[in-house]
Amino acid sequence: NMAQSIDFASLAQGQLIATAGRADKGVRQAGFLVLWATKMPAVLVELDFICNPEAERFLGSDDGRQKCAQALFKAFADYRRLNART
């Protein structure tokens, strides 16, 4: 599932950049318990840092939240389309 998780994480990162206008902070692996030994692809998404006033305003706005939600939905739809069983 690691390869599938990385594939989805890359799609999510790309959509967060393209759709929500977020900075490219890359995709990283970490040993978080919630991601460990899952039986399906698993990704933990960090949208931004609210200690940054500009990021806090963006994430606190309806438009910012909508753009982030759209980006993650598009990434999921892309992942599903690319991995659909025929």
Side-chain angles (χ1 to χ4, degrees):
N1 294 321
M2 182 65 74
Q4 294 170 322
S5 296
I6 292 170
D7 289 345
F8 176 72
S10 297
L11 290 169
Q13 178 65 13
Q15 284 295 340
L16 285 165
I17 294 165
T19 303
R22 307 323 298 152
D24 185 355
K25 295 183 179 144
V27 172
R28 296 180 187 87
Q29 295 179 23
F32 294 113
L33 187 59
V34 295
L35 301 176
W36 187 70
T38 59
K39 296 184 188 229
M40 65 186 80
V43 173
L44 181 64
V45 177
E46 189 170 61
L47 296 173
D48 219 320
F49 304 99
I50 60 171
C51 60
N52 175 328
E54 184 179 325
E56 181 183 13
R57 277 190 297 280
F58 179 78
L59 293 173
S61 72
D62 289 339
D63 184 55
R65 288 190 302 273
Q66 183 67 31
K67 285 180 179 178
C68 289
Q70 286 175 336
L72 294 174
F73 178 81
K74 286 179 181 180
F76 177 76
D78 289 346
Y79 180 84
R80 185 169 184 254
R81 181 180 44 78
L82 292 169
N83 293 284
R85 294 182 185 184
T86 55

